[in-house]
């Protein structure tokens, strides 16, 4: 593979990615030097970053984080990035609002404290800026000059923006039938945007082929050959939630699932905070949320299976429409180990939930946010999620990108510009 040629010329001593020490196989533990590789040469298992955190003193680390910038780089000591990362051109995502959602809590009957982690506040309006920011630093370290990805929409925009800011070429691949908001958001940054005739799983397969071919030489695919670095960006959601809660673990989290990477890395981030002594150890439950029209993990969870059977997606929640989720089995493990669950809601429930969140908290979520809020409601109704415990629901994207989902929402009335007409419309106080 072309990418591995790069790896052999770039060993862990010449690559400065801060506390990242090596790549380690999640299945067999085999370790290899840091490089643009993603699968274990022994067992084909996924590689992830292994760190050396041994030098950290808990209270010094806490002070360093708290004195850091108001973005993900406050956590640079815990990420695969160089120590001076905040000085480089990057889109600097993160430190998004954790909204105490008292109105929504009242509607849903949550008494233990309900929060929405609102990641629509990132530079390109989705959580994907977090993962792309990490992948960009890895691309720099490995000498790539083109950034690429297979995307369900949000990732393409995040890559386009990060590449523009950092002076990389970008060429990204999406299913040809995405929402217009996502297409425009991906194209406006000036990189190349290619629609593939097929669904996300077809796009992803195509990108895997391109990596092994001279046509893709020198390309950093953020979610393929840079996936181990990319994935670590999701840990920052866990770090921020705990820090924003006053360095405390929440009791319950509701997290959307596309490939399942975000959910598994949120768990990894929480485990790291416990091991580093930054939060007090206590049980927490992670709940996964899918759309019924693309629910391979939810179906496997409910059937008690360990393997995830691929599906052909058909849902308005296109950002979550991955029919063959790479991290599906790990999500099942985490949901079961923590005492959480995986649940799904249908398109109608997604739209209702988008409107519920908007009406109660003034937050306009994309369809993925409708999925998490809808699943939260369903889990409470089914007695699975405990309303007396502190609960954090993730909104990972902005409703302006998925306007079609709420088409039909519009004018209350059209009137002539005079008071009689206003009164006739029944709007007077
Ligand atoms: C990509 C994405 C996710 C989660 O993706 P994973 O592949 O599971 O990490 C969640 N929400 C939105 C809006 C996304 O674009
Ligand atoms: Zn292995």
């Amino acid at each position: 593979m072309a990418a591995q040629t790069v790896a052999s010329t770039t060993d862990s001593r010449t690559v400065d990615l801060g506390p990242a020490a090596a790549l380690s196989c999640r299945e067999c533990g085999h370790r290899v030097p840091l490089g643009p590789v993603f699968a274990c040469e022994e067992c084909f298992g996924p590689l992830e970053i292994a760190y050396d955190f041994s030098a950290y003193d808990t209270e010094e680390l806490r002070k360093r984080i708290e004195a850091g910038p108001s973005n993900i780089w406050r956590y640079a000591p815990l990420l695969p990035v160089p120590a001076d990362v905040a000085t480089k051109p990057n889109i600097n995502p993160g430190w998004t609002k954790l909204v105490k959602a008292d109105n929504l809590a009242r509607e849903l009957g949550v008494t233990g404290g309900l929060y929405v982690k609102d990641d629509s506040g990132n530079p390109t309006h989705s959580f994907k800026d977090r993962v792309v920011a990490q992948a960009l630093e890895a691309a720099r370290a490995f000498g790539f000059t083109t950034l690429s990805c297979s995307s369900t929409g949000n990732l393409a925009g995040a890559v386009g923006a990060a590449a523009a800011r950092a002076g990389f070429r970008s060429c990204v691949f999406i299913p040809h039938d995405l929402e217009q908001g996502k297409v425009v958001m991906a194209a406006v940054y000036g990189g190349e945007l290619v629609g593939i005739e097929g669904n996300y799983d077809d796009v992803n397969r195509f990108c895997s082929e391109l990596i092994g071919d001279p046509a893709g030489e020198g390309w950093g695919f953020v979610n393929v050959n840079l996936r181990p670095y990319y994935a670590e960006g999701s840990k920052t959601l866990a770090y921020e939630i705990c820090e924003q809660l006053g360095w405390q673990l929440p009791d319950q989290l509701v997290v959307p699932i596309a490939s399942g990477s975000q959910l598994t890395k949120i768990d990894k981030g929480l485990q790291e905070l416990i091991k580093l002594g930054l939060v007090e150890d206590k049980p927490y439950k992670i709940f996964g949320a899918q759309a019924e029209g693309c629910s391979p993990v939810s179906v496997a969870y409910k059937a008690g299976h360990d393997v995830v059977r691929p599906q052909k997606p058909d849902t308005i929640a296109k950002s979550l429409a991955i029919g063959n989720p790479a991290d599906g089995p790990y999500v099942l493990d985490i949901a079961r180990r923590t005492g959480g669950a995986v649940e799904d809601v249908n398109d109608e429930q997604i739209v209702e939930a988008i409107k519920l969140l908007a009406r109660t908290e003034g937050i306009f979520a994309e369809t993925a946010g409708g999925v998490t809020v809808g699943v939260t409601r369903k889990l409470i109704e089914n007695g699975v999620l405990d309303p007396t415990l502190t609960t954090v629901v993730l909104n990972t994207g902005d409703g302006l990108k998925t306007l079609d989902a709420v088409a039909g929402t519009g004018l209350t009335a059209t009137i002539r510009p005079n008071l009689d007409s206003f009164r006739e419309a029944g709007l007077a106080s």
Side-chain angles (χ1 to χ4, degrees):
M1 263 202 227
Q4 275 160 357
T5 329
V6 183
S8 61
T9 58
T10 331
D11 69 23
S12 51
R13 278 159 296 141
T14 59
V15 174
D16 176 14
L17 287 171
L23 292 169
S24 162
C25 173
R26 231 184 315 180
E27 289 297 324
C28 77
H30 179 68
R31 277 166 86 103
V32 293
L34 296 171
V37 287
F38 56 100
C40 176
E41 57 200 1
E42 302 286 323
C43 75
F44 301 107
L47 296 173
E48 69 177 354
I49 312 283
Y51 293 94
D52 181 6
F53 292 153
S54 59
Y56 294 148
D57 169 83
T58 304
E59 290 317 312
E60 273 172 27
L61 178 59
R62 194 193 309 276
K63 282 201 196 102
R64 197 169 142 193
I65 291 170
E66 287 174 348
S70 298
N71 58 49
I72 54 170
W73 305 131
R74 64 201 283 112
Y75 306 107
L78 306 177
L79 296 170
V81 294
D84 65 347
V85 60
T87 66
K88 305 201 171 150
N90 194 300
I91 51 173
N92 301 336
W95 204 243
T96 55
K97 287 179 202 152
L98 182 71
V99 178
K100 182 113 194 299
D102 290 340
N103 300 327
L104 180 61
R106 225 170 290 122
E107 290 260 348
L108 298 181
V110 177
T111 54
L114 180 64
Y115 297 83
V116 175
K117 178 62 171 168
D118 187 11
D119 244 18
S120 66
N122 277 310
T124 72
H125 305 277
S126 89
F127 114 95
K128 287 298 195 303
D129 291 320
R130 296 177 184 272
V131 283
V132 170
Q134 315 291 318
L136 172 62
E137 296 310 318
R140 254 198 267 268
F142 300 134
F144 291 125
T145 51
T146 297
L147 275 192
S148 185
C149 67
S150 53
S151 172
T152 56
N154 284 318
L155 185 58
V159 166
R165 172 124 178 85
F168 280 61
R169 177 187 170 201
S170 74
C171 181
V172 301
F173 301 93
I174 55 174
H176 66 113
D177 62 347
L178 287 186
E179 303 96 331
Q180 195 199 2
K182 298 235 169 94
V183 173
V184 172
M185 269 301 278
V188 75
Y189 303 104
E192 288 134 29
L193 176 68
V194 182
I196 301 258
E197 292 168 5
N199 61 27
Y200 173 81
D201 298 288
D202 299 315
V203 178
N204 204 32
R205 241 187 335 267
F206 167 76
C207 286
S208 302
E209 261 182 64
L210 185 50
I211 285 171
D213 191 273
E217 201 158 343
W219 290 29
F221 288 79
V222 301
N223 57 338
V224 191
N225 57 352
L226 298 175
R227 190 172 183 82
Y229 309 89
Y230 159 101
E232 295 295 289
S234 291
K235 294 194 307 180
T236 59
L237 274 166
Y239 300 156
E240 287 180 20
I241 289 167
C242 291
E243 187 178 352
Q244 288 168 323
L245 288 173
W247 293 109
Q248 278 194 330
L249 292 166
D251 298 313
Q252 304 177 124
L253 296 105
V254 184
V255 181
I257 302 167
S259 72
S261 174
Q262 180 187 85
L263 188 147
T264 61
K265 298 307 173 189
I266 285 176
D267 179 60
K268 189 181 187 213
L270 297 175
Q271 290 295 320
E272 286 174 356
L273 293 183
I274 292 170
K275 285 195 198 98
L276 288 160
L278 287 167
V279 297
E280 204 177 307
D281 193 2
K282 67 164 189 182
Y284 60 84
K285 295 181 181 184
I286 299 188
F287 298 87
Q290 294 205 295
E292 188 182 290
C294 182
S295 52
V297 188
S298 171
V299 166
Y301 176 82
K302 290 177 189 171
H305 293 162
D306 296 330
V307 289
V308 173
R309 274 208 15 227
Q311 286 182 4
K312 198 160 185 288
D314 180 14
T315 169
I316 58 168
K318 295 188 181 188
S319 56
L320 303 181
I322 298 184
N324 188 12
D327 286 284
Y330 300 107
V331 168
L332 292 173
D333 284 349
I334 290 165
R336 290 179 180 135
R337 166 168 57 73
T338 64
V342 186
E343 186 54 272
D344 57 83
V345 282
N346 63 33
D347 286 357
E348 196 182 318
Q349 293 167 316
I350 293 169
V351 173
E352 269 170 32
I354 291 173
K355 291 181 181 170
L356 173 65
L357 180 62
R359 166 167 71 73
T360 53
E361 300 299 340
I363 296 172
F364 183 21
E366 77 141 85
T367 44
V371 169
T372 49
V373 171
V375 161
T376 303
R377 170 147 77 183
K378 189 166 172 182
L379 289 170
I380 292 169
E381 282 167 7
N382 294 348
V384 180
L385 192 132
D386 185 343
T388 68
L389 298 177
T390 306
T391 304
V392 177
V393 180
L394 268 63
N395 172 38
T396 47
D398 194 321
L400 286 173
K401 290 200 221 180
T402 58
L403 286 174
D404 280 354
V406 286
T409 313
L411 299 175
T412 306
T414 304
I415 62 169
R416 292 180 303 282
N418 62 55
L419 286 172
D420 283 346
S421 183
F422 177 69
R423 286 199 190 90
E424 273 165 34
L427 298 169
S429 70

